């Protein structure tokens, strides 16, 4: 618990440096590269930030002290991930996401590394088997699926704030500028672009199911599974939906709470995944350029989701257990989708 908490706060501080547009690049780039070393400097703090989360930088000595009180095995994981993430963030400060390969690379730096770091912490704690921390490809996919979902859903918000995360290689086939997709006259092409990116994200679902099937500890399972079912529900809501280019597409609070309560074992998660990919399948337009690829990836998810040929049953749990699951869901969603303002809604849903 302490290791995961400190891991989150350290990455929150690093992310606050990256997000702060008032810090010049000649200051920010070295800070990102060296940030992992500040963990071992008791007095280091940064008082010049204008970001809403600047407290984590101003009170960094408190965080770094708690970091140094952790077991060395935890310190090594957190410091290593912080170093790799800082270098990756600096790389993408000075360039845009161009190819689909670079999209995967960017998502790896900001979210895949979170999944890898958490997995290594789970294994180091001995709550999970060593393979969970060793299989970095599956852990990376856990982060990529969440990050791509956020990027896809947040198209309009990012446009309004001057950020671009959709890969040029994809959107350039549908528009001259990424911002053109928001124009009413381009809505049909915009939706086709959206569907192609959702299809890309769906390719991570088999890895997600394999990862979750390895988990043994109930708390770790809830922590990992709940954001993933939130993500598939969000993608189903966004698929072929013009509203992505007009406003915010969210899953309902009641829907979020139901997902939190249901996603407590691998069979239930498989059933949820099956339900939402079926929802996407029913919406695939025959004229969509990505329709064949979408159908193919859904077929592979179906095959993994229904090993016995029937839907997994859902179970009911005590109110106390459910409140714990909801708290884990809120924390987990916040860890792995820190960019999104929608996080607060999920947290509120969990608390209510």
């Amino acid at each position: 618990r302490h290791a995961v908490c400190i891991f989150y706060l350290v990455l929150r501080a690093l992310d606050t440096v990256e997000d702060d547009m008032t810090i010049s690049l000649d200051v920010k780039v070295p800070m990102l590269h060296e940030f992992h070393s500040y963990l071992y400097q008791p007095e280091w703090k940064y008082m010049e930030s204008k970001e809403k989360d600047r407290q984590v930088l101003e009170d960094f000595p408190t965080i770094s002290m708690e970091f140094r009180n952790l077991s060395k095995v935890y310190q090594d994981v957190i410091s290593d991930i912080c170093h790799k993430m800082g270098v990756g963030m600096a790389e993408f400060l000075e360039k845009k996401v161009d190819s689909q390969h670079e999209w995967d690379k960017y998502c790896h730096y900001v979210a895949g590394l979170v999944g890898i770091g958490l997995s290594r912490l789970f294994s180091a704690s001995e709550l999970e088997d060593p393979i969970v921390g060793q299989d970095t490809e599956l852990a990376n996919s856990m982060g990529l699926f969440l990050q791509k979902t956020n990027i896809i859903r947040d198209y309009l918000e990012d446009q309004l704030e001057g950020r671009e995360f959709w890969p040029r290689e994809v959107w350039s086939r549908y528009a001259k500028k990424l911002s053109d997709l928001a124009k009413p006259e381009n809505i049909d092409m915009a939706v086709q672009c959206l569907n192609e990116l959702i299809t890309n994200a769906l390719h991570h679902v088999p890895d997600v199911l394999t990862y979750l099937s390895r988990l043994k500890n109930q708390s770790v399972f809830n922590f990992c599974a709940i954001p993933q079912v939130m993500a598939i529900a969000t993608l189903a809501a966004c698929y072929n939906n013009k509203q992505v280019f007009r406003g915010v597409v969210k899953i309902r609070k009641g829907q979020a709470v139901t997902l939190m309560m249901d996603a407590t074992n691998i069979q239930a998660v498989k059933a949820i995944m099956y339900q939402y990919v079926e929802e996407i399948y029913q919406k695939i337009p025959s004229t969509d350029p990505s329709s064949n690829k979408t159908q193919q990836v859904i077929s592979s998810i179906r095959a993994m989701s229904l090993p016995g040929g029937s839907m997994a049953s859902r179970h009911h749990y005590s109110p106390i257990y459910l409140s714990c699951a909801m708290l884990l869901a809120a924390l987990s969603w916040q860890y792995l989708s820190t960019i999104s303002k929608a996080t607060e809604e999920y947290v509120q849903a969990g608390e209510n």
Side-chain angles (χ1 to χ4, degrees):
R1 180 183 63 192
H2 289 154
V4 171
C5 175
I6 297 305
F7 185 39
Y8 169 69
L9 289 173
V10 168
L11 297 188
R12 178 72 271 166
L14 179 67
D15 198 50
T16 301
V17 172
E18 184 205 23
D19 286 346
D20 194 331
M21 303 304 286
T22 66
I23 305 174
S24 63
L25 282 183
D26 60 332
V27 173
K28 186 185 289 191
V29 171
M31 274 182 76
L32 292 174
H33 277 275
E34 297 301 319
F35 203 86
H36 66 105
S37 69
Y38 303 152
L39 292 166
Y40 299 97
Q41 298 176 30
E43 305 302 320
W44 188 89
K45 58 186 174 182
Y46 186 73
M47 305 299 291
E48 311 301 320
S49 178
K50 303 295 187 290
E51 282 291 295
K52 67 182 188 305
D53 294 321
R54 61 184 176 272
Q55 184 182 352
V56 289
L57 294 173
E58 294 172 353
D59 291 345
F60 199 76
T62 306
I63 297 170
S64 67
M65 179 184 69
E66 294 296 339
F67 166 83
R68 292 188 300 278
N69 286 336
L70 294 173
S71 300
K72 185 176 184 301
V73 67
Y74 294 141
Q75 289 186 39
D76 290 346
V77 171
I78 294 169
S79 176
D80 181 50
I81 296 296
C82 182
H83 186 197
K84 289 173 178 171
M85 189 178 288
V87 170
M89 285 176 166
E91 178 184 334
F92 278 92
L93 278 179
E94 302 182 85
K95 69 177 184 182
K96 290 187 176 180
V97 179
D98 226 2
S99 64
Q100 291 184 68
H101 173 73
E102 283 186 338
W103 198 36
D104 282 358
K105 193 176 181 183
Y106 171 76
C107 291
H108 163 74
Y109 284 139
V110 299
L113 284 170
V114 181
I116 291 168
L118 285 171
S119 301
R120 287 168 61 185
L121 293 178
F122 299 152
S123 292
S125 70
E126 298 185 357
L127 291 172
E128 298 296 345
D129 290 336
I131 187 64
V132 172
Q134 291 164 359
D135 196 334
T136 55
E137 190 171 335
L138 293 189
N140 188 58
S141 283
M142 292 283 285
L144 262 61
F145 186 58
L146 300 184
Q147 188 65 24
K148 287 182 178 181
T149 298
N150 288 340
I151 287 172
I152 289 166
R153 180 200 57 207
D154 292 342
Y155 165 84
L156 194 61
E157 179 185 321
D158 287 336
Q159 279 295 304
L160 294 173
E161 295 188 17
R163 299 190 297 256
E164 293 191 356
F165 298 113
W166 284 25
R168 177 186 292 273
E169 180 184 341
V170 175
W171 64 255
S172 62
R173 293 199 291 271
Y174 301 92
K176 289 183 178 179
K177 293 186 298 189
L178 183 55
S179 58
D180 288 346
L181 294 178
K183 296 178 179 176
E185 64 269 25
N186 297 330
I187 192 63
D188 292 339
M189 296 296 277
V191 168
Q192 289 179 5
C193 182
L194 168 71
N195 291 348
E196 182 173 345
L197 290 181
I198 290 175
T199 300
N200 175 298
L202 288 173
H203 281 89
H204 298 293
V205 173
D207 277 358
V208 167
L209 293 174
T210 302
Y211 180 97
L212 293 174
S213 70
R214 289 177 173 171
L215 301 178
K216 300 186 301 184
N217 180 277
Q218 186 68 60
S219 293
V220 172
F221 184 89
N222 295 348
F223 183 85
C224 295
I226 291 169
Q228 302 294 333
V229 296
M230 296 282 196
I232 193 69
T234 300
L235 287 184
C238 290
Y239 185 81
N240 209 49
N241 189 349
K242 298 175 181 178
Q243 190 59 30
V244 171
F245 302 95
R246 297 169 177 165
V248 181
V249 175
K250 298 179 186 174
I251 59 175
R252 300 182 309 279
K253 287 185 181 179
Q255 188 181 0
V257 173
T258 300
L259 289 168
M260 291 178 189
M261 292 192 287
D262 284 353
T264 54
N265 62 76
I266 188 60
Q267 291 307 319
V269 169
K270 286 180 176 180
I272 293 166
M273 291 290 188
Y274 183 95
Q275 171 191 335
Y276 284 109
V277 296
E278 279 299 302
E279 189 177 306
I280 292 172
Y281 187 85
Q282 297 302 323
K283 294 194 287 187
I284 300 174
S286 58
T287 54
D288 191 272
S290 304
S291 60
N292 287 339
K293 288 183 178 178
T294 312
Q295 289 167 356
Q296 286 169 11
V297 70
I298 286 176
S299 293
S300 65
I301 296 168
R302 277 176 177 159
M304 289 191 73
S305 299
L306 292 180
S310 60
M311 287 287 276
S313 60
R314 308 280 178 91
H315 300 284
H316 297 283
Y317 297 87
S318 70
I320 292 174
Y321 182 87
L322 291 179
S323 65
C324 292
M326 289 178 193
L327 180 58
L328 280 165
L331 288 169
S332 185
W333 187 256
Q334 200 168 24
Y335 286 141
L336 298 175
S337 58
T338 54
I339 313 174
S340 170
K341 291 178 183 175
T343 300
E344 294 170 15
E345 303 235 350
Y346 293 121
V347 175
Q348 289 165 7
E351 289 172 348
N352 293 334

